Amino acid sequence: MNSTQVMGSEKKIILVTGGSGLVGQAIKQAKQQDPRENETFIFLSSKDGDLKDPAATQRIFERYKPTHVIHLAAMVGGLFNNMKHNLDFLRNNILINDNVLHNSYKLGVKKVVSCLSTCVFPDQTSYPIDETMIHNGPPHPSNFGYSYAKRLIDVQNHAYHQQHGCHFTAVIPTNVFGAYDNFNLEDGHVIPGLIHKAYIAKKEGKPLVVYGSGKPLRQFIYSIDLAKLFLFVLREYDEIDPIILSVDESSEVSIGEVAQMIADAFQLEHGIVLDSTKADGQFKKTASNKKLRGYLPDFQFMPLKEAIERTVQWFNLNYNIARK
Ligand code: NAP
Ligand code: GFB
């Protein structure tokens, strides 16, 4: 058995960095719905230690001695946060990723699954985007800091494999949403941002304000669906090359359409207005999930409308604890 294979029932201690965020909370739920006897999960937050700090990261790894790592921790944000802080997104994420991957190597971690994003792909490209295109040109200028830091993970994974035979891989999700998201009006992504704005519009009897033209196109994956796919990758995906985790191309929607779904979920009575003074960002980043469908041809994604209704319900019930 060579170093890249792991016996099926071997005891796994799975460290989830960034375990307190949107995707981490969803993995916590998904593993409860699909448990394995040989798996023990440890969900970290930044309270366990700042992963930008090499010494703090080493302490965490020495304390938990993981055999496997799901690496989610990152400085994450929507279009407007990225546009204002490209340098911070670049430096913070490079530091976090290097500390996690190097400690994983030093402690002989058997497998690391890191998380990129479809915004890392070149802005000028043919569509649909696939995994082979990741380094084919500059990303969109609105998020170059985050994108280059994330692309570097793929470079690091191949370098650790080539030089030390490490089994470090990565997934590439499209835009994610769900419970425990960041609903901050300035820094968050579009769906949590619009849900928070719709909540206020409902209270004040005002229209929902959508930034930009409403025309850009996006593929949105519900956090719980992504979490199930993360567990599949942890348990069964054996490549170093990354894999896109996305809904089908036919599920791509415009920002205007998703805003209407959110307005309907809140039964808003004063409609939607567009604020064209705000940026649209990247027009589209249509991704192919052909590689994923090769592994899981029958995977069922939750319909967007239903997933949005569940997220709106969660926000209404958890307004007090939600990140805002
Ligand atoms: P999130 O909700 O903002 O959660 C980020 C997590 O990282 C939190 O647990 C946070 O801990 C932790 N963290 C941040 N900085 C840290 C530091 N310096 N040291 C230790 N922990 C730190 O993010 P998310 O949306 O779940 O994203 C998870 C992963 O998916 C990220 O790698 C992101 O790039 C990727 N991704 C997200 C999307 C999306 O649309 N959200 C799309 C594609 C890919 P605290 O809770 O203590 O702050
Ligand atoms: O989700 P979002 O912030 O990120 O914005 P990106 C998506 C689109 O929604 C843009 C429009 O066209 C915005 O103009 N939009 C409309 C809004 N209303 C709002 C609102 O209230 N808030 C926000 N945030 N947008 C990010 C990357 O790009 O995608 C990140 O910058 C990350 O690095 C993330 O990769 C997944 O999809 O444009």
Side-chain angles (χ1 to χ4, degrees), residues 77-80 82 117 119 143 146 175 188-190 193-194 197 210-211 216 218 255 279-280 285:
L79 169 64
F80 304 102
N82 273 269
S117 171
C119 76
N143 52 53
Y146 175 85
N175 291 45
H189 292 102
V190 59
L194 290 176
K197 284 196 276 187
V210 175
Y211 294 155
R218 298 286 184 270
I255 298 302
D280 269 341
K285 35 187 167 175

Side-chain angles (χ1 to χ4, degrees), residues 219 247-253 286-287:
Q219 288 155 295
V247 295
D248 302 330
E249 290 158 58
S250 56
S251 302
E252 187 177 54
V253 290
T286 315

Side-chain angles (χ1 to χ4, degrees), residues 18 20-23 46 49-51 72-74 115-116 146 150 176 323:
S20 52
L22 165 69
V23 180
S46 61
D50 181 355
L51 294 171
L72 303 173
C115 197
L116 286 67
Y146 175 85
K150 288 290 188 179
V176 191
R323 276 184 291 169

Side-chain angles (χ1 to χ4, degrees), residues 84-122:
K84 282 181 285 185
H85 304 111
N86 265 299
L87 177 61
D88 298 343
F89 275 93
L90 178 69
R91 293 197 67 239
N92 292 343
N93 287 317
I94 285 176
L95 292 169
I96 291 171
N97 299 335
D98 185 55
N99 289 329
V100 169
L101 293 176
H102 206 58
N103 277 282
S104 297
Y105 154 64
K106 286 196 297 184
L107 260 89
V109 167
K110 291 193 171 70
K111 188 170 182 177
V112 177
V113 182
S114 294
C115 197
L116 286 67
S117 171
T118 53
C119 76
V120 308
F121 285 100

